Amino acid sequence: MTDFDETPRHAPADPIGPVTDPTAHAAAFRAAFASGSSAVIDRFYEPGALLIPGRGESRSGQAERASAYDHLLGFGVPMLTETRHLHVAGDIALSIVDWSMRGTARQGFPLDLHGVSADVLRRGSDGRWRYVIDNPFGTTA
């Protein structure tokens, strides 16, 4: 018998959020996506940030971005990311990331979504990098 309980008494604070190291941004965003919460994903955006979910579309504001992410999260397929290029100039960065969602969707059909994002990030006064423009399909959008 031990004299301590291995069950945590309090859940740890949610550690998923924007990062201070721009090279860790894609991996942190992938973790936010894996949380299954569009609210957690939106922590990676400045309040007025623009999301371009498809050709001719743009969404700004938390509610509009959330509707786009809720659609993707509904498939129940994880997102993979790999940074291809990251160019930082002071508090602004251009991030080019290969991403994919491949597998069987919750709805039972095969899913193969992928792209090369072209994103603009900005370091906030708190030192954390957030999207100003999230363009997941890059030049194809």
Side-chain angles (χ1 to χ4, degrees), residues 5 8-9 14 21 25 30-31 34 45 50 54 65 67 70 79 86 106 108 112 118 124 129-131 136-137:
D5 181 0
R9 296 191 191 289
D14 185 359
D21 177 359
H25 185 269
R30 183 177 61 240
Y45 293 82
L50 186 66
R65 290 188 302 264
S67 70
D70 285 340
M79 178 182 288
L86 179 67
R106 278 189 188 111
D112 184 2
W129 292 87
R130 292 178 180 85
Y131 290 110
F137 294 101

Side-chain angles (χ1 to χ4, degrees), residues 5 23 47-48 56 62 71-72 87 110 134:
D5 181 0
T23 64
Q62 190 277 331
H71 173 73
L72 291 177
H87 305 283
D134 180 4

Side-chain angles (χ1 to χ4, degrees), residues 57-127:
E57 295 180 65
S58 63
R59 310 246 175 120
S60 64
Q62 190 277 331
E64 288 188 19
R65 290 188 302 264
S67 70
Y69 277 109
D70 285 340
H71 173 73
L72 291 177
L73 292 168
F75 295 130
V77 175
M79 178 182 288
L80 301 177
T81 61
E82 185 173 339
T83 301
R84 185 185 291 197
H85 300 288
L86 179 67
H87 305 283
V88 179
D91 291 338
I92 302 292
L94 173 63
S95 177
I96 310 297
V97 175
D98 294 299
W99 65 271
S100 64
M101 293 174 63
R102 292 184 171 106
T104 301
R106 278 189 188 111
Q107 298 83 352
F109 57 84
L111 183 72
D112 184 2
L113 290 174
H114 57 278
V116 180
S117 69
D119 304 322
V120 178
L121 309 172
R122 181 173 22 220
R123 180 175 31 213
S125 59
D126 62 356

